[in-house]
Amino acid sequence: MSKRFTAGAVATAAALALTLTGLSAPANAGATSNRTFTVVAEDGVSADAAVAAIRAAGGTVVSRTDDVGLFQVTSDRADFASRARATDALVGAAEQKAIGRKPKLDRVEREHLLTQATSAARAKSAAMATKGKSSKLDPMDDKLWGLGMIRADKARKVEPGDRRVTVAILDTGVDASQPDLAPNFNWSLSRNFAPDMVDIDGPCEVPSCLDPAGTDDGGHGTHVAGTIGAAANGFGLSGVAPNVSLVDLKGGQDSGYFFLNPVVNALVYAGKAGIDVVNMSFYVDPWLYNCTANPADSPESQAEQRATIKAMKRALNFAHRKGVTLVGSLGNNHEDLGAPRTDVSSPDYGADPYPRPIDNESCWDFPVEGPHVIGVSAVGPSGKKADYSNYGTEQISVAAPGGWFRDGYGTDTYRTDANMILSTYPKKVLQEEGSVDENGNVVPGFEESVFTQCTAKGECGYYTYLQGTSMASPHVSGVAGLIISKHGKKQDRNGFGLAPNLVEQHLYRTAAEHACPEPRLQSYANEGRSAEFDAYCAGSLNFNGFYGYGIIDAYAAVTSPLKPHIRP
C-alpha cells in the first residue's frame, strides 16, 4: 500500500441514490445535518427487527440492503453508536468514514515523476523493454510488456473474450468516452454507488452530486479498465481480454476514498445483476487492519471494525454465491500479510495514529483478505517481486505484472517509465495533474510517460504509466474473463457463465509456476530501499509467498481443458 491521505475529519456522507438494486433510496444525495452511520445487523436478526432496534437507539434508516443486513442511518444523538452497540440485534454502528481508498498516485504509482532520468534514457528503456514482442495489434501494444509476460498476446488469437462476459471495475469510475473503452463499455449494467462529497471531492459536477455512469474524475478506475479490456481496434492499446464487456461499478469517491455503504451495495448489485468478475483495487481505511477486539482500540472503534468485518464478509459471500469471481490487489505496503507489522498509521484521519499490534487471527485487510477473493501480488518486467508489493503464503493466490519503476538495477532500464504499466487514463485528470495542457497537448517533459492518439473524427484517447498491485489485479481479472469466455456454459445467469470456484481453480492450475528467488530473503537495498522492504519467500515451486500458484498465463488458460480440481 502506498501513502494514505493525511488526517482530517470527513463530513457526513451523501445518501445513496441507488437504481435497479431493490434498495430504498433517499430523496436526494445532498449532505444532511445529522451524522451518518452504517449499521450492521447481528447474524440471524431479521431486517425488520434490526430497523426496530435502530429506531429504538435513536436512528432513522435512509437506505437498507436486506440481503446482507446493512443499513444506512442518520441520527442527531451523540450517543447513537454506543446505544446501537448495546443492543443484541446489532453488531454496531460505524460512522460514515472512508473504509478504503485507491493507492495514492503521487508516490508509489507515479514514481516516474520524481526521477531525474532523461527522456533519451526513457526512450532507450522503452525500446529495450519491448524488444522481441511478437504481437502488436494496436499501435501502443509494443509498450505492454505485461501482455507478453502472461502470453495474452497469444491467448487472444484463440479466445479474445466473449461479449456476454461482464467484468466489473469497482473503483473510482470508468471514462467511457475513451475510444479504447467505448466499444466494450456496458451502459445498461453500469452504476454509480458513490455520490460526490463536497468536503473531500470538491464541488459537485451535477446538481444531484451523483455523477453519471461512464465518468471518472479520479483516473484509477479507467487505468484498471484499460488493462482488463481495452478494445483491439487498431487504436491506442489493447487489454488482456479485448472483447469482454466492461461494467463501471463506481464505489469510490473522486478523491480516492471508498466508503462501506457504496462498496457493499456495489457487491450486492454485482451478484443480483449477474456480473461475472469484479476487480477490486482498493484497501481499507481508516484502519490499516480491521480487528474484532484489538486491546489498543477503544470500545467504539472495536465496534466500528466489527461492523465493517461483518458487512464486507457478507457482501463478498453474497456475490460469490451469486456467481461472481472476485479479484483483489494484495496491497503496496511491502508486508507479509500473514505476519503483519505493528500498525503505526491508524487511524489515518480524525484522530492521531497510535501503535496497534496486529493479531493475524483476528484482524483483516479488506477486501483482499475477505472470503473468496483471489489475491494478486505484483512483479516487474524481470519477473522479480516488486519491492512495494505485499506477499505471504496466507493470502496470496497468484502474481501478475504490476510494474516496478526500480526494476532492472544495473541496466539501462533501471528507474524508467517503461518498467511500469501503460493504460488508458482520463484527459481531465491528466490536465489536473499538469501533464496535459488545456488544449489537450502533452506538456513538454512528459512525452515518454503520457501518450495520446486521436481518431479521424477527432476523438482522442490518453494513456499513462502507473505501478502497483492495483495494476496487477486487472491482468488477473482479464484472464478470468477469458476463462469464462472460453469455458463458460449456458445457464440461468444471463444465459452464460462459469462457477467462480471453477474459474479460480483453472486460473491457479494454468499459472506458470515460479520458484522463490535465492537467497529466499530478498533485499532491495540496491534499489534504494531500507531493510523494512526485505522480504522472505516461503513455500515451494508449486506455491509460495511471492508468486502463489505462479504468474498467470492467459494462453494456458484458454488452451488447457477445464478440470474440476486444483493442483495439490
Side-chain angles (χ1 to χ4, degrees), residues 459-525:
E459 300 171 336
C460 299
Y462 290 81
Y463 310 83
T464 194
Y465 287 105
L466 301 180
Q467 70 174 22
T469 55
S470 288
M471 284 62 254
S473 61
H475 283 85
V476 177
S477 293
V479 175
L482 291 179
I483 291 172
I484 299 170
S485 298
K486 180 65 176 179
H487 302 288
K489 301 180 183 299
K490 291 183 178 181
Q491 55 183 229
D492 293 337
R493 298 181 67 256
N494 287 347
F496 190 79
L498 187 65
N501 284 341
L502 293 179
V503 177
E504 182 178 0
Q505 291 165 5
H506 192 67
L507 182 76
Y508 299 166
R509 189 176 63 83
T510 58
E513 292 180 334
H514 198 298
C516 283
E518 292 295 342
R520 286 179 175 252
L521 179 61
Q522 287 288 289
S523 168
Y524 295 92

